[in-house]
Amino acid sequence: MDMRAMMKSWRMTRFLLSSAIFCLSAGSAAAQTDTLTVAMVGDVMMGTTYPSMMLPENEGKDLFKDAKAILLSADLTVGNLEGTLCDGGQSTKGTGPNSYSFRTPTSFAPRLKEVGFDYMSMANNHANDFGQTGIESTEQCLREQGILFSGIEGRVEKCVIERGGKKIGLCAFGHNSYTLKHTDLNVVGRIVDELVKQCDLVIVSFHGGAEGRTQSHLPQGSETFLGENRGSLRQLAHFCVDHGADIVYGHGPHVVRAMEVYKGRFIAYSLGNFCTPYNVSLTGISGYAPVVKIKIDKQTGAFLGGQIHPFIQTRGIGPRTDRSGAVISQLKQLSDADVPQSQASISADGSIKLK
């Protein structure tokens, strides 16, 4: 019996032991609570005060207005916080053309809670833009909003949230020295295994891959960018599922990448940029900003179906509804080309269905 089978068998045993009590208390309502919906987005950086003031109008209160209803409608909403929430500190980055530091004012933190974010990954190459000051301020801001987070080595490794009577474990991995590194499969395996034992469902986030408009396709093997090992992301995602993860979602390339269902579990290899109104290229496909909302079986974690909601960004504005559905076409083409073995397919209307 492989690792996934053993973990799922353990989960099912626990479920069966408690099912009689559950049925007595839930009655006919049980059928209505068999599924869990999860909304996922990529990079979120609502504006920056460094190196100059680049902030949206109205304290960012209009940034998410088109996507708010969708984000709030999910049982669980997750994303990647690309940068810091802080008001001071010194930049840790250089001054070269590939150096960017993101410092979003702490007053913008409520915007995340207002639209329903429950969890934000901090395992990325901008979490340390303002050093320990920035990390601590970001963590404090998220705590104040009741938003869970993880991903920085030596700090929060993993977290657990409860939805619909189920414990959901979340963890995040990146490629930088200060993150929990996805290139270290011993670390990844240990954390995922711990969550699988502790929780009913497990969601893994990763920040990896080469960056830019030429990096849409998911390569085989490891990727290198700016001299850094950005991971072997197919291997990573499959490794997490093999260890019992139920959802794996990625970000980092600043463009979307393929999505697949592997062993009945959903994987998004990159959700691209979602709300990055300044200092991030939004030209062409870099402006595609999807919300991917999926439904999974709450007892087993198996993927049941999903929907890609298409948005597109304009500088200083944030994600806005894209009636052309351009990102749907992009994700369909990339998925068909790069993961033809996927157990699901994407339709022209953005629905994701099992084959």
Side-chain angles (χ1 to χ4, degrees), residues 199-220:
C199 301
D200 302 292
L201 301 164
V202 175
I203 300 175
V204 177
S205 169
F206 69 83
H207 199 74
E211 300 178 23
R213 288 188 295 276
T214 63
Q215 305 299 328
S216 293
H217 283 285
L218 178 68
Q220 299 284 352

Side-chain angles (χ1 to χ4, degrees), residues 182-203:
H182 55 61
T183 52
D184 188 339
L185 293 183
N186 289 325
V187 171
V188 175
R190 174 181 63 79
I191 293 173
V192 173
D193 288 349
E194 289 172 357
L195 283 175
V196 168
K197 291 176 183 177
Q198 181 183 3
C199 301
D200 302 292
L201 301 164
V202 175
I203 300 175

